[in-house]
Amino acid sequence: MTTMLLTPRFAHARRAALAIACAIFGACARPATTSPAPDRATYDVVIENGRLVDGTGNPWTWGDVGIRGDRIVAVTPRGALHAANARQRVDARGHVVAPGFIDIQNHSWDPVLWKDGRVVSMVTQGVTSVILGEATTPAPSNDRVEELEVIARMEPSRAELQRSFRGEHGFGNWLDAIGRHPNSVNAGSYLGAATVRAYAAGQSAGPATAAQLDTMRTVVRNAMRDGAFGISSALIYPPGSYAGTAELIEMAKAMAPYHGAYITHMRSEDDSLFPAMDEAFRIAREGGVQLDIYHLKASMRRNWSKAARAVAKIDSARAAGLDVGATMYPYPFSGNNLGECFPDWAAENGKLFDNLRDSTTRARILREMADPAGAPLCQVEGPTAYMIADLRKPENVKYEGKLLSDIAVGMGKPWPEAIVALVLTEDRDPSKINFSMSEDNVRMQIRQPWVVIGTDAGGVDPDSAKNVVHPRAYGTYPRILGRYVREQKLFTLEDAVRKMSGAVAARLGLRDRGLLREGMFADVVVFDDATIIDLATPEKPHQISRGVEQLFVNGVQVLRDGRHTGATPGRVLRRPGAA
């Protein structure tokens, strides 16, 4: 190759000739710039005049957002898209435009698989993606898992689905089934550690055998290849509580090459909070994986003083190099099932109902439930701390939404016997709301930079729902934006949005959602930060929050002026890099 050296005079002449040629023929490309002019082709949607909060935590800016197909293709200064062709325009004047919220702890199992995939209570909060998987998952399935899932009690169509989740790619088959169902939100999942244990060992207690550990490793590897975001445990509920630390470390090691995360409802959130945290740290450290702690809390009044030390332990672990974070919901009351009031051994080998019906065994269960010196169950806070929910039998409907103390009086029984009566007559494990947390601790913990937001709830429709649910199912994100940001100024709007979107996507490893950026999937929420607020309460939970007005999922409008459009553009989410 020959290189021609030009003198300054000839170089100047050549540049002039090239400029004339470009002007005549338009054949020369413009030099690259750092701020390209917005594409003037037609957009499907232009959202203009809004305050853009991009999900990174950066200060808001005035701007416009252009959507084409399922992607954000333009994020520009305000007015830059005013003259662009658009099939639909949304004037976001006076409103915030942000990435759709990603719920890292969601329980919309049935809605996204086979029931009402509109998940109205979620989308009206601004949720565009839900991540399932705490403790258990329907997949992969085998005879032992189907016993845990109680397939015999399922409706025929649901039971047929459950049986399709068997085999090497059972987890992937479950995700595929979610993808075939019409949903208004995107959905993905962790792999339930209790399901892994049930697959290999059923509902028996005790350490796993070598053969069972081999099975568990295989189940974990297959699910990770199918797109699980990691492994999720809930170590206070049988059979998940039967798993030892060493077993969970082996699961984490099997997951580590696929870069999944270990997320856990720890073995204790009360009297043994610090040993439970140490166990979680050890599992992540020896397993070589990221750690997230579900709904960080110090539960029961006598443990409230531990909250600050729990935060300090996480800060210390991070300073030592452990990648650990936590999730929270913005309420000083939690929710789970009545079965938490029973000692763990009562459910071994799936024999809970048999044990409750046996008079001798039931007497032992009742004795331990009420023993003030025993393991912390529901006796610590007492029956005034629990509201009972999700009762379905006609004879129990009158107790729906009442405190356990009042139900016991109505039945004329001590509260442990009232619990047993409810569980047996329902022939299932009803829900309860637990008033056992400190609002001051919630406010202190939720401000931590490594905390992200999850509802710990499922999506419901207020037009058809009858049973009491935790108000977080309707109000988690608006409560943060309205009460903690606008009213209490606990943290900034930008940081709140980061905790709901970009920071969650980062914990999940999602590279194409969670930010207002060109090239990202068009999951976008428009809300009025001057009015947004939660309205749901424990006594009146089925109240849609106020302030979320427009919502787009994969570029399709799911909320228009606060009302569901009926659209179901949701897609399955899989861990990046899944086979």
Side-chain angles (χ1 to χ4, degrees):
M1 182 176 69
T2 302
T3 302
M4 180 182 292
L5 298 177
L6 301 180
T7 66
R9 187 180 66 176
F10 283 108
H12 176 77
R14 185 170 183 266
R15 285 195 297 271
L18 283 172
I20 293 170
C22 288
I24 296 173
F25 300 109
C28 299
R30 292 177 180 270
T33 65
T34 56
S35 301
D39 186 351
R40 297 298 179 183
T42 298
Y43 296 93
D44 292 315
V45 181
V46 166
I47 304 171
E48 55 188 349
N49 302 318
R51 278 193 296 146
L52 307 189
V53 179
D54 67 5
T56 66
N58 288 336
W60 66 265
T61 59
W62 292 113
D64 299 345
V65 175
I67 297 171
R68 187 178 302 123
D70 60 4
R71 299 278 180 162
I72 297 172
V73 295
V75 179
T76 73
R78 179 173 55 177
L81 299 183
H82 183 68
N85 295 322
R87 294 185 176 91
Q88 178 187 357
R89 286 188 174 275
V90 175
D91 187 353
R93 195 182 313 272
H95 292 69
V96 170
V97 182
F101 306 144
I102 304 171
D103 185 359
I104 197 171
Q105 188 184 12
N106 193 275
H107 299 304
S108 300
W109 307 92
D110 286 343
V112 300
L113 177 62
W114 70 294
K115 286 191 173 179
D116 185 0
R118 296 177 305 144
V119 288
V120 174
S121 70
M122 289 291 154
V123 299
T124 51
Q125 296 187 57
V127 172
T128 53
S129 296
V130 301
I131 307 299
L132 310 173
E134 183 188 2
T136 63
T137 39
S141 190
N142 63 5
D143 289 342
R144 298 185 186 95
V145 171
E146 288 172 9
E147 181 180 330
L148 178 65
E149 292 286 324
V150 199
I151 192 172
R153 300 181 188 176
M154 292 179 182
E155 294 184 29
S157 58
R158 173 63 182 87
E160 183 179 357
L161 280 170
Q162 183 67 39
R163 284 187 284 269
S164 75
F165 304 151
R166 288 175 169 247
E168 179 181 353
H169 294 292
F171 192 90
N173 292 342
W174 173 50
L175 293 182
D176 290 342
I178 290 174
R180 290 190 297 271
H181 186 65
N183 294 313
S184 293
V185 293
N186 307 304
S189 185
Y190 292 95
L191 169 66
T195 300
V196 178
R197 181 176 177 85
Y199 192 100
Q203 298 184 61
S204 61
T209 66
Q212 289 169 343
L213 283 174
D214 281 343
T215 299
M216 292 179 188
R217 295 185 191 102
T218 299
V219 168
V220 169
R221 286 192 290 265
N222 288 340
M224 293 305 297
R225 293 186 187 114
D226 283 345
F229 283 97
I231 296 171
S232 166
S233 67
L235 302 179
I236 69 169
Y237 306 120
S241 56
Y242 304 149
T245 307
E247 175 182 317
L248 293 163
I249 290 171
E250 289 305 307
M251 289 189 202
K253 286 180 178 178
M255 169 181 64
Y258 303 94
H259 310 292
Y262 176 61
I263 188 166
T264 181
H265 179 149
M266 295 185 297
R267 207 174 293 274
S268 173
E269 298 174 324
D270 40 68
D271 289 3
S272 299
L273 173 62
F274 298 144
M277 294 180 72
D278 290 337
E279 179 190 36
F281 294 167
R282 180 187 168 195
I283 291 166
R285 188 176 292 112
E286 294 186 22
V289 296
Q290 169 188 305
L291 169 65
D292 291 285
I293 296 171
Y294 275 135
H295 43 57
L296 183 67
K297 68 171 75 72
S299 189
M300 300 182 187
R301 185 176 295 272
R302 68 189 189 189
N303 296 301
W304 287 359
S305 63
K306 296 177 179 178
R309 282 179 286 166
V311 168
K313 279 179 73 70
I314 293 176
D315 283 336
S316 177
R318 290 184 61 82
L322 184 65
D323 185 359
V324 53
T327 78
M328 285 186 67
Y329 46 79
Y331 295 89
F333 37 91
S334 61
N336 50 26
N337 294 89
L338 270 178
E340 191 197 4
C341 297
F342 299 132
D344 278 359
W345 63 263
E348 286 182 17
N349 299 307
K351 300 294 184 182
L352 175 62
F353 288 89
D354 291 341
N355 288 334
L356 292 177
R357 292 186 181 102
D358 180 82
S359 58
T360 302
T361 312
R362 181 173 66 248
R364 179 187 169 192
I365 293 171
L366 290 169
R367 190 164 55 250
E368 292 190 22
M369 289 172 69
D371 183 2
L377 299 169
C378 296
Q379 83 277 24
V380 175
E381 293 295 289
T384 58
Y386 304 105
M387 175 185 286
I388 310 306
D390 197 22
L391 299 173
R392 304 176 188 177
K393 292 298 177 71
E395 62 268 34
N396 294 329
V397 170
K398 60 187 175 183
Y399 299 130
E400 177 77 9
K402 293 187 179 298
L403 294 178
L404 177 57
S405 53
D406 295 333
I407 295 173
V409 169
M411 289 184 172
K413 301 175 183 289
W415 65 265
E417 292 186 21
I419 289 176
V420 171
L422 288 173
V423 170
L424 286 177
T425 56
E426 289 285 315
D427 196 28
R428 43 182 290 279
D429 192 2
S431 302
K432 61 182 172 63
I433 297 174
N434 314 304
F435 301 97
S436 58
M437 296 164 61
S438 160
E439 171 67 17
D440 287 342
N441 284 344
V442 170
R443 287 163 44 85
M444 179 272 294
Q445 291 172 324
I446 209 166
R447 296 177 64 184
Q448 304 308 313
W450 34 259
V451 165
V452 299
I453 308 303
T455 67
D456 196 8
V460 290
D461 179 4
D463 292 336
S464 58
K466 297 178 181 178
N467 296 101
V468 170
V469 298
H470 195 296
R472 63 195 179 195
Y474 285 87
T476 294
Y477 299 98
R479 183 179 182 87
I480 289 173
L481 294 166
R483 298 185 189 278
Y484 288 173
V485 172
R486 184 180 66 247
E487 295 177 359
Q488 300 180 15
K489 296 179 174 51
L490 204 61
F491 39 83
T492 67
L493 171 66
E494 292 87 349
D495 196 32
V497 170
R498 181 190 65 83
K499 289 172 176 286
M500 303 172 183
S501 56
V504 188
R507 297 308 288 176
L508 294 168
L510 287 172
R511 306 184 189 107
D512 48 15
R513 298 183 194 271
L515 300 175
L516 282 186
R517 290 279 172 81
E518 293 172 3
M520 293 280 180
F521 280 102
D523 297 343
V524 182
V525 60
V526 180
F527 62 88
D528 184 350
D529 64 319
T531 63
I532 193 167
I533 199 69
D534 63 309
L535 300 176
T537 66
E539 296 77 20
K540 294 182 178 180
H542 298 293
Q543 300 187 79
I544 288 175
S545 293
R546 184 169 61 224
V548 175
E549 298 188 4
Q550 322 295 334
L551 190 73
F552 294 84
V553 178
N554 299 312
V556 177
Q557 191 160 16
V558 169
L559 280 187
R560 180 179 292 113
D561 300 331
R563 295 183 176 275
H564 205 299
T565 63
T568 53
R571 299 178 184 175
V572 168
L573 301 179
R574 286 180 164 87
R575 178 190 56 80

